[in-house]
């Protein structure tokens, strides 16, 4: 998303939850998607000692977990924060935004009835078998549209994918 001529990023304020139930407004420099969630690169306000006993303002930079360790500041837009995805974001992923799970799993099932074509789970669902191939969002949506495939309601699959499927249907109706 960044171009070689992109200007130097300007950090935006974000609240960081510190150990010991404290909270501080820090700089958010960038964020990056990891397999198990998100990491936000924050700059915490601090002091450091300079030469001859001086004290100067400083910034302590650290990667923290999101959303566990951060809270948005009211009125601040985080749209322009440099963001690194696991894979390049597609239009579908951008629709869902950064809160989506990092993958999906299709569990094949035999037999008849609803779910005979399989069940789509978020990759971290208890019912998703370990080692199953992880699907991208597009592949999961494709799978979800096959007859007999249902979305697991235990994990985020139904809640996350249903609105996307319905949202796109709606979009097609309008064109
Ligand atoms: Zn599930």
């Amino acid at each position: 998303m960044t171009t070689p001529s992109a200007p130097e990023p300007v950090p935006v304020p974000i609240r960081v939850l510190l150990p010991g139930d404290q909270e501080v407004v820090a700089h958010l420099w960038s964020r990056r998607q990891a397999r198990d969630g998100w990491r936000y690169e924050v700059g915490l306000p601090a002091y450091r000692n300079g030469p001859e006993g001086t004290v100067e303002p400083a910034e302590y930079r650290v990667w923290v977990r999101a959303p566990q360790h951060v809270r948005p500041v009211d009125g601040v837009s985080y749209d322009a924060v440099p963001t690194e995805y696991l894979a390049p974001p597609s239009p579908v992923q951008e629709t869902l935004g950064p809160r989506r799970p990092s993958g999906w799993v299709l569990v094949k099932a035999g037999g008849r009835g609803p779910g005979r074509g399989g069940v789509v789970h978020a990759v971290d669902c208890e019912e998703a078998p370990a080692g199953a191939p992880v699907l991208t969002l597009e592949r999961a949506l494709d799978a979800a549209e096959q007859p007999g495939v249902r979305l697991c309601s235990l994990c985020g699959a139904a809640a996350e994918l249903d609105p996307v499927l319905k949202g796109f249907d709606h979009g097609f109706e309008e064109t």
Side-chain angles (χ1 to χ4, degrees):
M1 279 198 295
T2 51
T3 58
S5 62
E8 192 63 14
V10 177
V12 291
I14 192 164
R15 259 196 275 282
V16 177
L17 310 185
L18 298 175
D21 273 343
Q22 298 191 72
E23 198 178 296
V24 69
V25 175
H27 288 148
L28 174 60
W29 286 96
S30 66
R31 54 192 173 182
R32 150 176 103 195
Q33 189 181 28
R35 281 258 158 246
D36 60 348
W38 284 83
R39 300 291 184 281
Y40 278 34
E41 184 188 26
V42 298
L44 302 170
Y47 285 116
R48 78 171 153 231
N49 289 123
E52 320 206 350
T54 55
V55 179
E56 15 184 84
E59 190 182 82
Y60 174 69
R61 284 215 205 177
V62 60
W63 289 90
V64 297
R65 285 182 187 278
Q68 293 92 330
H69 295 150
V70 293
R71 296 289 179 271
V73 173
D74 284 348
V76 172
S77 167
Y78 295 97
D79 294 347
V81 175
T83 302
E84 195 181 306
Y85 293 86
L86 278 177
S90 69
V92 173
Q93 287 170 319
E94 285 182 343
T95 301
L96 266 186
R99 288 181 63 243
R100 71 193 186 280
S102 52
W104 309 92
V105 173
L106 174 63
V107 179
K108 299 272 186 191
R112 298 164 179 282
R116 69 187 183 283
V119 181
V120 176
H121 295 278
V123 74
D124 55 355
C125 179
E126 284 179 11
E127 294 194 354
V134 175
L135 306 179
T136 62
L137 183 62
E138 286 88 346
R139 296 275 311 280
L141 290 170
D142 285 346
E145 288 182 315
Q146 301 305 309
V149 172
R150 71 177 179 84
L151 303 173
C152 175
S153 50
L154 256 186
C155 57
E160 293 269 343
L161 296 181
D162 249 351
V164 182
L165 289 169
K166 295 196 170 108
F168 283 120
D169 285 346
H170 187 61
F172 291 144
E173 279 163 19
E174 283 181 341
T175 50

